[in-house]
Amino acid sequence: MGSTNARSTNAGSTNDRASNDRPTGRPRTIDPDAVSLVALRLFDEQGFDAVSMDDVAAAAGVSRRSLFRLFPNKAALVWGGLDEFATRFGEALRARPTSESSSIALRAAYRIGATFPDDAVEVTRHRLRVIRANPSLEHVGAATVTALTDAIVRFVAERDGATPDDFAVSVRAHALAAAASAALTWWALHGDGRPEDAVDRALALLT
């Protein structure tokens, strides 16, 4: 009888401890964009190599585990917005009227792709500045950039009635992609307006 009571008491104590160990209330929601902005500000101000993931977690007010769950490494914090740009650009390009020339359609699609939401403009500026200052980061986004350029080549070839390996098609497509990239980098370093305006000005020189 006493043994049974003891077991009951011990079980109750164990249950109490387990109950106390459980988090109370709703779990905290972490905004990846807010964390990226904190990280990119640090990278831009202090240098990419000088800032650790622990520094980012502390500055963003999140746990190290939560940070790594969202971003497996520092490079992922930098390149997080590239896929969104590529998606916006691709959808805009597919939506252009078939009557448009490849140059006009690409200029319009690039403007849409580079039109970042107001709350993403600052993080985009920091992102581009960090990439510009750290060329070693370029390989991380290389696959997406290559896929984007290949899509432009195919689009130009289709609109111009040529093949993707045509010399003129390849040169024009790569020139447009390079001009857009250069314009975004210039805007991040020197511009005080909108990124889409900088891209549009650059492509106007080539179209």
Side-chain angles (χ1 to χ4, degrees), residues 77-193:
L77 282 158
V78 175
W79 282 97
L82 180 60
D83 289 339
E84 296 173 11
F85 169 85
T87 298
R88 260 197 320 274
F89 172 79
E91 291 175 349
L93 198 59
R94 288 189 292 273
R96 301 311 303 170
T98 56
S99 59
E100 285 184 344
S101 68
S102 59
S103 297
I104 292 175
L106 280 166
R107 182 177 172 185
Y110 257 117
R111 182 175 184 87
I112 292 172
T115 303
F116 296 91
D118 289 342
D119 59 0
V121 171
E122 183 185 356
V123 73
T124 300
R125 187 186 296 277
H126 285 297
R127 175 176 287 120
L128 293 168
R129 288 169 61 94
V130 171
I131 293 171
R132 175 68 173 80
N134 298 273
S136 61
L137 287 171
E138 292 180 359
H139 77 279
V140 179
T144 302
V145 172
T146 298
L148 190 62
T149 305
D150 288 345
I152 294 171
V153 170
R154 291 192 298 271
F155 180 83
V156 172
E158 182 179 347
R159 286 292 171 101
D160 292 1
T163 60
D165 59 357
D166 180 84
F167 176 80
V169 166
S170 181
V171 170
R172 285 185 58 235
H174 282 80
L176 287 167
S181 177
L184 285 171
T185 299
W186 179 90
W187 166 80
L189 295 173
H190 310 292
D192 57 1

Side-chain angles (χ1 to χ4, degrees), residues 5-73:
N5 288 338
R7 284 197 299 273
S8 298
T9 300
N10 290 338
S13 298
T14 300
N15 289 337
D16 288 342
R17 286 196 301 271
S19 178
N20 291 336
D21 288 341
R22 295 191 193 103
T24 58
R26 298 180 62 182
R28 180 186 175 193
T29 300
I30 299 174
D31 181 359
D33 292 335
V35 174
S36 290
L37 178 55
V38 170
L40 288 163
R41 280 173 175 167
L42 290 175
F43 296 155
D44 196 10
E45 294 165 3
Q46 301 179 24
F48 181 76
D49 292 333
V51 178
S52 68
M53 289 291 272
D54 286 337
D55 294 331
V56 173
V62 301
S63 69
R64 192 172 187 273
R65 173 184 287 185
S66 296
L67 179 61
F68 275 100
R69 188 180 299 124
L70 292 171
F71 304 97
N73 49 55

